[in-house]
Amino acid sequence: MLEHWHVPTVISLLNFHTCSLDVLAIISVSVAVWLLRTCKGTRGDTLARHPLPPGKCAKLYEREFARSSDNSKGPKPLPFVGNFHQLPKEDFHLTYGDWAKSYGPIIYFHVFGRQFVVLNTMDVVNDLLVKRSATYSTRPHLVMAGELVGRDQNSVLFLKYGQRLKEVRRVMDLWIGKNNLSSNYPVSLSVNRKLLLSLLEKPDRGLEHIKFAVGSLMLKLTYGIDCATEGDPYIMLVDKMTRITSEASAPGRWLCDSFPILAKVPSWMPFAGFKRWAAEAHEFIEKAIHAPYEFTRSSVLQGKAPDSWLASMMLDADGNTVSGRTAENLWIAASAIYVGTIDTTVSVVNTFLLMMTRHPEIQRKAQLRIDAVIGEDRLPVLEDRESLPYIDNIIKETLRFITVVPIIPHCADKDDIYMGHRIPEGTYVMANMWSIMHDPNLFKEPGEFRPERFEDSPDRPAEPDFSRAAFGFGRRICPGYHFSMASLFMYMASILATFDILPVKNELGEDELPPVKFLDGHIRMPHPFKFRAVPRNDRKAALIQEANLTNVDVNKL
Ligand code: HEM
């Protein structure tokens, strides 16, 4: 049985800080426990209805599974491990996309008894995640990130669908929803102008400036925190929380996600390093969530809190700071803002800069359009968006090209039947956004960056605009959608209006084009790269200086 386990792969995916023998011990114990439970007919309701005789468990289980969820539309599984051995270490979306070519738009597979459905076209995604969002709006149960690190209690992204999620999303909507765009705008504008100044003053540190602008904007809006330019402790804190969360939820990394029974192993056992890691991560995340919240609470109590979303809801009708469930909703909502924004927005803006560096012709065209609308004497503002459809097309193309969240995971919270297939409760139902956004039947040369694809022309109709789908679906759609589209416009339009984005030069004085390479993960991000931001002319540089002199002081907002 063990050769089917692809043991080296399992071990390389682990981060248990323990030796391989320990891992093998865990695997052996888990296999034994699984077989015992299976043979007793206690594993899953299908098998519970059909107790299996010892010795034939694996074969019968496989047949039973095939009957229950029609596993025929997916790669052939092995007994017990299912399709584990066919899963890649990274770039899952590419493998799922390849499977879709053989098995069609819906793929079914299973790994150690956990069932997965991957949706590879917008039609099937809409049918399930949008039209049936009453069934498909919960999140998969993750043992490490959710249960052990505790993110299923304190992170919007991991919360199961239910009352708590609705309450927290309502709070977020008040803060960052469509109707609040204009009241957030002065702070956003101020941060945007500071970003231009940073690019002017330190043009060789472009990517750092973007990250700082995105992070500091969210901390200011949410908590009223003014970040120091470098090494801000709050930015470092929430950044670390983001990193830990993504490590804890990395697919295939933690054996306990495949064998939930391992969550019960006592932390003191020698091979239970993962439990000790989880306990430390949990403690750190609790601190990282509460530190900025406490900052706002104490400044509200002292009557000197700068305006912020949190401060606006911190006091009850009697002037006391809120407590209990209301306070919990606030800190959960507040902490989701930074985590939800940082990597996603930075990824899109960095991809935009990468593409501008590589495509001077697109950059020039966009600059001419901007100049025609705003002239020489001012910088772009949000109201210009309607007059600048080409910038919107650059945003759409950047979202399509990078596909920031390549796989969007939802989960069935009751049994369902779709196109004759049974989808049991608990199945992971994942939209393969990467395949959809790169479908050659919909997008001509999908690997090319081409904003014009969204324009109608006499010889070619516009290609589909799935930019909204890049933000998810149904009741779990990203609460930051409207805010993000507005801020992406402001980042892109104001950078293009004022700077030429150019490649760096090598020792021979030649342009060195940055490669198109991405870091894999839940969130796709360009590999760090270098570019030069050169002011288009003296007038533009002066406009940036003036905007920062006359800029409203965000500390007083
Ligand atoms: C370019 C920017 C962004 C992209 C591409 C993006 C994308 C996404 C996607 C794909 C999801 C999953 C939706 C689903 O499960 O169907 C999501 C969820 C979420 N996003 Fe964003 N997002 C962006 C910006 C933001 C911003 C600015 C915020 C700040 C509020 C935010 C907060 C969240 C939260 C809290 C969730 C979890 C929602 C839930 O599970 O109910 N995101 N985002």
Side-chain angles (χ1 to χ4, degrees), residues 200-444:
L200 192 64
E201 289 174 347
K202 293 182 184 162
D204 53 333
R205 296 174 60 180
L207 298 190
E208 287 168 55
H209 299 322
I210 301 295
K211 186 166 177 211
F212 179 77
V214 174
S216 61
L217 172 61
M218 299 328 274
L219 289 178
K220 176 72 189 165
L221 285 169
T222 312
Y223 300 100
I225 291 173
D226 294 299
C227 295
T229 322
E230 290 192 23
D232 183 88
Y234 285 108
I235 291 204
M236 284 161 70
L237 201 66
V238 283
D239 254 354
K240 189 164 169 193
M241 171 168 81
T242 311
R243 298 280 89 80
I244 291 177
T245 303
S246 83
E247 196 173 339
S249 53
R253 179 153 202 168
W254 306 98
L255 203 53
C256 56
D257 280 324
S258 301
F259 298 100
I261 185 122
L262 292 177
K264 308 280 180 264
V265 170
S267 306
W268 51 263
M269 290 186 77
F271 54 77
F274 69 102
K275 291 261 319 230
R276 295 187 286 278
W277 184 89
E280 273 174 37
H282 174 75
E283 199 184 322
F284 179 85
I285 283 177
E286 286 288 313
K287 278 191 197 143
I289 289 176
H290 284 98
Y293 181 85
E294 283 308 319
F295 165 87
T296 311
R297 203 173 79 92
S298 73
S299 34
V300 167
L301 283 173
Q302 292 164 35
K304 56 175 194 186
D307 275 356
S308 69
W309 293 333
L310 202 50
S312 70
M313 293 176 77
M314 197 61 118
L315 296 178
D316 64 18
D318 301 325
N320 300 318
T321 49
V322 292
S323 58
R325 193 171 176 98
T326 314
E328 280 171 20
N329 288 347
L330 289 187
W331 55 253
I332 294 175
S335 75
I337 300 274
Y338 186 93
V339 178
T341 308
I342 192 75
D343 284 347
T344 48
T345 311
V346 168
S347 164
V348 179
V349 179
N350 287 2
T351 306
F352 155 76
L353 290 166
L354 177 64
M355 289 300 117
M356 291 305 102
T357 313
R358 295 180 57 91
H359 294 282
E361 72 294 351
I362 295 175
Q363 186 175 170
R364 190 71 198 125
K365 183 170 168 183
Q367 287 172 329
L368 291 176
R369 302 272 168 105
I370 293 172
D371 293 348
V373 170
I374 68 168
E376 284 296 306
D377 297 324
R378 67 175 179 91
L379 298 176
V381 289
L382 193 54
E383 291 76 38
D384 296 321
R385 190 171 160 201
E386 273 189 18
S387 321
L388 287 168
Y390 191 64
I391 305 301
D392 257 8
N393 288 344
I394 293 183
I395 299 176
K396 288 176 201 163
E397 180 64 345
T398 312
L399 287 166
R400 185 200 68 81
F401 186 83
I402 174 76
T403 317
V404 186
V405 186
I407 302 284
I408 302 182
H410 287 212
C411 182
D413 67 3
K414 53 178 183 278
D415 288 357
D416 192 20
I417 293 182
Y418 180 63
M419 291 187 172
H421 298 284
R422 184 162 106 77
I423 301 179
E425 177 186 343
T427 303
Y428 286 44
V429 179
M430 306 184 290
N432 185 358
M433 283 315 295
W434 197 89
S435 274
I436 294 171
M437 298 288 212
H438 292 81
D439 181 348
N441 299 315
L442 298 175
F443 299 101
K444 194 174 168 214

Side-chain angles (χ1 to χ4, degrees), residues 129 137 139 156-159 165 169 172 176 218 309 333 336-342 344-346 348 399 404-405 408-410 433 469-481 483-485 487-488:
L129 304 191
S137 289
R139 292 284 183 214
V156 182
L157 195 60
F158 291 84
L159 280 178
L165 181 82
R169 287 195 57 124
M172 296 185 85
I176 203 164
M218 299 328 274
W309 293 333
I337 300 274
Y338 186 93
V339 178
T341 308
I342 192 75
T344 48
T345 311
V346 168
V348 179
L399 287 166
V404 186
V405 186
I408 302 182
H410 287 212
M433 283 315 295
F471 292 83
F473 306 96
R475 301 177 190 185
R476 296 312 283 247
I477 191 167
C478 173
Y481 169 70
F483 181 89
S484 294
M485 290 303 270
S487 26
L488 290 176

Side-chain angles (χ1 to χ4, degrees), residues 163-174:
Q163 190 54 27
R164 169 75 83 188
L165 181 82
K166 288 185 205 163
E167 287 169 17
V168 175
R169 287 195 57 124
R170 224 171 282 137
V171 171
M172 296 185 85
D173 194 50
L174 286 174

Side-chain angles (χ1 to χ4, degrees), residues 116-135:
F116 296 82
V117 171
V118 185
L119 311 172
N120 288 287
T121 66
M122 202 52 97
D123 284 347
V124 292
V125 168
N126 276 329
D127 280 352
L128 295 189
L129 304 191
V130 181
K131 293 184 195 152
R132 297 190 194 178
S133 67
T135 304

